[in-house]
Amino acid sequence: MALPTDPKAVALLSGGLDSTVAMTMAHRELGVAEALCVNYGQRTFKQELSAAEGICAALSIPLESIKLDIYERLSAGKLLSLKDKALGEDLDFWVPNRNGLLINIAAAVAEGRGLPYVVVGFNIDEGEAFPDNTVEFMEATNRALAYSTLGRVKLISPTATLSKKEIVDIGRRLGAPLELIYSCYSGEELHCAVCPSCKRLAKAFLDAGAQEIIQHKFKSKE
Ligand SMILES: [Zn+2]
């Protein structure tokens, strides 16, 4: 399938399942001019960046990494802590206003480069746990972006109404590089299999009958 010759989007890429498939979908429809991987002090950044580099190389999309140091002065949430184990409930991993901030950074990049879209990987599974992963949040953000970018930038998420299982299905169909993703809260090289994110990821691939794609990313059980 021929890709658009005049790319129109900036994609926020964490290296996880949802942002990888959302970016792959947008790349085919609109073209992604640039992916952004943001280092906001999360312990998982090294692994996320390494995954993002592989994914962007596979899709021939330029990757920029952005450093955001505002969270260094806040000690909120297990994702920012280097000490805590990656065990806990979803909201233990909440990072204050993270998606709101990252989307606005990406919207600034998009507006500055004259690109009309920002792409993110929302999904209904995480929408149940996190209010900033929902269609409602996307609509509210677009109302604000109409003012803050003079109506030049719109947030889109082609995965927002899909379950993670459906995202795996579509990712496979489109040839998204699913074997390269990183979705664990531990920050270790291999997925821990026990954090909430790993559990969601493993279930999605299991439900899609596609475990073999990510088996090598998980610690083997002793
Ligand atoms: Zn994990």
Side-chain angles (χ1 to χ4, degrees), residues 56 64 90 164 167 181:
C56 284
E64 285 283 334
D90 275 317
K164 286 200 175 244
I167 293 172
I181 62 175

Side-chain angles (χ1 to χ4, degrees), residues 86 182-187 190-199 218:
Y182 184 82
S183 282
C184 178
Y185 289 154
S186 75
L190 289 174
H191 286 61
C192 74
V194 293
C195 76
S197 183
C198 275
K199 284 181 181 165
F218 280 81

Side-chain angles (χ1 to χ4, degrees), residues 74-144:
L74 306 170
S75 57
K78 290 189 170 203
L79 213 50
L80 298 173
S81 163
L82 296 173
K83 300 192 292 286
D84 282 345
K85 284 220 166 76
L87 294 169
E89 302 299 317
D90 275 317
L91 288 181
D92 292 332
F93 298 94
W94 178 259
V95 178
N97 198 11
R98 178 192 55 189
N99 283 4
L101 208 47
L102 267 48
I103 287 163
N104 271 290
I105 289 169
V109 171
E111 186 177 22
R113 299 210 195 291
L115 300 166
Y117 297 105
V118 168
V119 183
V120 292
F122 291 169
N123 61 89
I124 54 173
D125 299 62
E126 263 151 284
E128 285 170 13
F130 302 108
D132 63 350
N133 228 289
T134 58
V135 171
E136 290 78 8
F137 175 61
M138 189 161 62
E139 290 167 355
T141 300
N142 276 326
R143 285 197 292 278

